[in-house]
Amino acid sequence: MSIMSYNGSAIIAMTGKNCVAVASDLRFGIQAQTVAMDFQKIFEMGPRLYIGLPGLATDVQTVSQRLKFRVNLYELRENRRIKPKTLMSVVSNLLYERRFGPYFVEPVIAGLEPGTDKPFIASLDLIGCPMETEDFVVSGTCSEQMYGMCESLWEPDLSPEDLFETISQALLNAVDRDAVSGWGAVVHIIEKDKVTTKTLRARMD
């Protein structure tokens, strides 16, 4: 078994019209054994900026703490909020520094650009190679299933309500076909004036 799928995870980010959503499952397991069903994989890096970290659970917690430290340092030095694109560079640098003994995480970034409220989503591999896209990004143990669901369901310029429905259906139906992810999900819908967080019930088997 790959070290990336040792704990199991599934994360999707998806764009809508002036909004963006990011969703993850809640399972923390050790291979086929489920240990907890409330494991946090999505972390807030700013008022309208989130990062999802699928991969090895120990590295998820290490990378989230190191990132929060670097983001706080940036905001103190620059005296302004970090932009999504800048966060992508910070994450990329953090991962590439450790390229010979990497953190086993493949981050997903979702947020709104300050000022323009343009949706921004990106994903990186475990040594920090970034990929920006306009529609959706997926990462985790059932990425093939998530790609299939997202390709089928996503449409341009979705409203926040439709975006929630689309990302929820994509995630729930993908994790049903993966033995090491699922067991509940959480969705963050990021809009200009608010962030809505919803917890989804899922199959527990």
Side-chain angles (χ1 to χ4, degrees), residues 89-100:
S89 300
V90 170
V91 177
S92 184
N93 288 333
L94 175 71
L95 295 175
Y96 194 69
E97 278 172 13
R98 296 293 188 102
R99 65 191 175 279
F100 299 118

Side-chain angles (χ1 to χ4, degrees), residues 62-158:
T62 304
V63 169
S64 70
Q65 288 163 7
R66 295 204 160 188
L67 267 181
K68 195 66 194 155
F69 171 73
R70 290 196 182 193
V71 167
N72 288 344
L73 215 57
Y74 172 90
E75 290 179 353
L76 276 169
R77 194 187 306 119
E78 298 281 332
N79 204 21
R80 61 195 167 116
R81 292 287 188 187
I82 195 164
K83 292 178 178 173
K85 207 162 217 168
T86 316
L87 177 67
M88 186 178 74
S89 300
V90 170
V91 177
S92 184
N93 288 333
L94 175 71
L95 295 175
Y96 194 69
E97 278 172 13
R98 296 293 188 102
R99 65 191 175 279
F100 299 118
Y103 292 117
F104 294 109
V105 293
E106 295 183 331
V108 166
I109 297 167
L112 295 178
E113 298 277 5
T116 61
D117 297 318
K118 185 174 179 282
F120 177 92
I121 55 170
S123 67
L124 301 97
D125 70 1
L126 78 169
I127 57 163
C129 175
M131 181 193 74
E132 285 179 58
T133 174
E134 299 290 315
D135 44 13
F136 51 81
V137 288
V138 304
S139 195
T141 46
C142 60
S143 51
E144 289 93 346
Q145 290 90 328
M146 289 190 287
Y147 266 123
M149 288 305 304
C150 292
E151 292 281 6
S152 306
L153 299 176
W154 183 84
E155 296 171 356
D157 294 333
L158 289 164

